[in-house]
Each structure stands twice: as structure tokens, then as C-alpha cells.
Amino acid sequence: MTNNTRVQLLPLSKEREISTLVENRRAFTLDNLELHIYETYKPSERVPLRFDDIVMINMIQGKKVMHINNVQSFEYLPGEMIVLPASVGMNIDFPEADFGNPTQCTALTVSREKIGRIMDYLNEFYPKMSLSGNWKLDSEQYHLYNTPELAELLNKLFKIMTGTNPLKNALADLTFKELVIRLLQAQSMLVLELGKSASTVLQHLQDFVQKHVSEKLTLDSLGKAANMSRSSLIRMFKQELGISPMEFVIRQRIAKSKELLRVTQSVKESCFGAGFNDVNYFVRIFKNREGLTPGAFILT
């Protein structure tokens, strides 16, 4: 899925808070977390940046071009997140920044020890069901799109960290733990969509759904394919991907419908070819997930 959800724009710096036009920074520090808000007000190239801790970077407004180690440069836009290990260097271009439309991004830093404690807790009390190893941040899937759940939690966390609640350390800690879980689930979904999952169960189910996408698929048929009970199937999807099995089917059908729209140029053929049985429903759910109608998608 390529649709993404933007994090809300944070209040821009007041004039007296601007000390530089390139990556002007404001910081909000709690016991175990630090939030940096960066804004750039003029076009710039190859601006260096590096963090000593694990960092979660969210693009909120404007556009950057990222150069990270030896990875090919890429555009970085609102609704996208980058998660990097400590001490990874990057160089950043700001091709469109100006006073009328400054770039804004956030960098949330956290120690490896804190992340480690969260992983230890999950692996002890909520181990993975699909035999795909322990919970851990996937350093290869460092660039991803925000899910609605991720965006909601980021908005909540930023509000807490920039606010004045006397209990904000505790509130931020709880919200951050939930954010990490959602991030792990989003990475697991991305790995699965790319066909790189170590989970033989989930990979088998994805292959099964793709093979039978135009047919009627139910919890019972998915459970039979995975040799799992309905309750175990639902629990595995909810725990490891953060979605229900039937939501997973819908996402696979949307992906298939996009392939068919490009080839057939027909909304009706793509609807039924991807397993939807009502064109009006297909148009509604496609627009809801992708931000445009199937007809408009054909024209892109």
C-alpha cells in the first residue's frame, strides 16, 4: 500500500526563535525521549545531520532529498517516516524551502537501552506466533509510510512532549511504547509486502490470498490454509501486523486492483478481478484507502 497519513503540522517557530534559516531547531527533552523540531526557510544542499541515539524522523511539511550513507538518494515527503540506528550520518537537500513554505520535520531520539527494554518485554510476554524470530527493529526497513495508527500516536506524543502536563514523562513513556509496537507491526507488513518475510505462516497466507484473490475468502478458508483455528489466526494477525485477517485480504485486493487498473484501464474488470463483488463498494473503499477513485488512478 502506498497511501500514507500525515502527521499534523506543529506550530512554526516564532521570529525570535529562529537563529538560522537552515534546520532551525527547537528541542523538548523528557527523561528518556527528546523531540527535535527542525525548520528550513531557504533552499540548501548537502546539510549534514547525525544523531547519537536511535532516531525516528517524520516529514511534516515541504520536501527534502535524503542522502543516507551509500543508499541512493530519495525524495522525502509528508506522511513518511525514517527510522535509523544511532550514529548514521545523512546529508539533506532542501530544494523548495522558503519563508512562505518552510520545511518542517521532527526527529524523536531514544536510547538503545530503552528500545531494548521494550523488545525484551514484548519477547517475554508477547512472543511472535508465526515462528519468525524475536521482536526487533528492522534496520533494513528504515523508510516507511505512516499508517493511521502511527500518525495518531505521533500526534499524541508530540502534543504531550510540547505540553505542560506535570505527568507528561509518564504519559509520553506509555504512548511511546505503543508507538514502538505499531512501528514493529508496520515494518512486519512492509517486509511481507516485499516478499522478504521470515514468517513462513504469513508468507504462505499472503501467497494463498494472492492466488485466490478473485475468489471468496473467509476466516475459515484462511484458517484452513494456515492450519490454524479462527481465534489463533485473528490473534496472530492482530499481534504481528496490527490488523485483522480480513483487513489483510482487503489490502491484497486493493493492491491487485491497482495492477489490473493499469493493465485493463477498466474499473469494472479490475473490481471483479480483484475479488470485489460490487463496483460501488469498490470505488468507495479504493478512494478511502488510496485518496482517489479507481477512475482517477487510471489517469495518473
Side-chain angles (χ1 to χ4, degrees), residues 60-96:
I60 297 180
Q61 176 174 285
K63 181 174 80 171
K64 296 181 180 182
V65 177
M66 304 294 292
H67 310 268
I68 301 175
N69 288 340
N70 296 320
V71 178
Q72 183 176 359
S73 61
F74 57 91
E75 288 191 350
Y76 188 38
L77 301 170
E80 300 178 24
M81 177 190 284
I82 294 174
V83 182
L84 296 175
S87 302
V88 173
M90 64 194 89
N91 288 281
I92 309 170
D93 300 338
F94 302 86
E96 301 173 356

Side-chain angles (χ1 to χ4, degrees), residues 6-24:
R6 297 188 177 198
V7 175
Q8 294 172 0
L9 180 69
L10 294 165
L12 293 170
S13 299
K14 297 176 182 178
E15 186 174 348
R16 67 176 185 273
E17 296 175 320
I18 300 176
S19 59
T20 176
L21 298 181
V22 179
E23 291 292 69
N24 186 74

Side-chain angles (χ1 to χ4, degrees), residues 130-152:
S130 61
L131 304 178
S132 56
N134 291 331
W135 289 109
K136 62 179 180 179
L137 285 176
D138 188 341
S139 60
E140 292 187 5
Q141 310 307 322
Y142 63 89
H143 182 198
L144 62 159
Y145 295 99
N146 285 332
T147 63
E149 295 81 10
L150 279 172
E152 180 182 358

Side-chain angles (χ1 to χ4, degrees), residues 4-179:
N4 57 58
T5 307
R6 297 188 177 198
V7 175
Q8 294 172 0
L9 180 69
L10 294 165
L12 293 170
S13 299
K14 297 176 182 178
E15 186 174 348
R16 67 176 185 273
E17 296 175 320
I18 300 176
S19 59
T20 176
L21 298 181
V22 179
E23 291 292 69
N24 186 74
R25 183 179 72 96
R26 288 173 288 159
F28 300 85
T29 304
L30 299 184
D31 288 347
N32 297 295
L33 296 171
E34 188 164 21
L35 172 64
H36 309 261
I37 304 174
Y38 290 95
E39 293 156 8
T40 293
Y41 296 86
K42 70 174 186 178
S44 308
E45 292 184 353
R46 295 287 178 167
V47 178
L49 191 62
R50 182 190 300 267
F51 295 94
D52 294 331
D53 290 316
I54 294 170
V55 61
M56 302 177 185
I57 304 172
N58 268 269
M59 194 66 189
I60 297 180
Q61 176 174 285
K63 181 174 80 171
K64 296 181 180 182
V65 177
M66 304 294 292
H67 310 268
I68 301 175
N69 288 340
N70 296 320
V71 178
Q72 183 176 359
S73 61
F74 57 91
E75 288 191 350
Y76 188 38
L77 301 170
E80 300 178 24
M81 177 190 284
I82 294 174
V83 182
L84 296 175
S87 302
V88 173
M90 64 194 89
N91 288 281
I92 309 170
D93 300 338
F94 302 86
E96 301 173 356
D98 58 39
F99 263 103
N101 184 36
T103 65
Q104 185 184 73
C105 79
T106 61
L108 184 68
T109 58
V110 57
S111 70
R112 283 171 286 192
E113 290 76 18
K114 183 174 179 62
I115 291 290
R117 288 194 295 271
I118 296 174
M119 300 303 160
D120 289 344
Y121 173 80
L122 289 173
N123 287 318
E124 180 175 357
F125 295 102
Y126 300 97
K128 288 190 173 185
M129 299 175 60
S130 61
L131 304 178
S132 56
N134 291 331
W135 289 109
K136 62 179 180 179
L137 285 176
D138 188 341
S139 60
E140 292 187 5
Q141 310 307 322
Y142 63 89
H143 182 198
L144 62 159
Y145 295 99
N146 285 332
T147 63
E149 295 81 10
L150 279 172
E152 180 182 358
L153 287 165
L154 287 163
N155 288 329
K156 180 180 178 181
L157 182 59
F158 296 163
K159 184 176 180 180
I160 291 170
M161 294 187 71
T162 58
T164 58
N165 191 307
L167 294 176
K168 67 180 185 178
N169 270 298
L171 294 170
D173 185 62
L174 292 170
T175 305
F176 180 74
K177 288 175 180 176
E178 185 177 356
L179 175 66

Side-chain angles (χ1 to χ4, degrees), residues 206-217 253 274-275:
Q206 176 167 266
D207 294 342
F208 174 81
V209 171
Q210 291 176 345
K211 183 178 180 180
H212 300 279
V213 70
S214 63
E215 305 170 18
K216 183 178 180 179
L217 294 169
R253 284 182 166 152

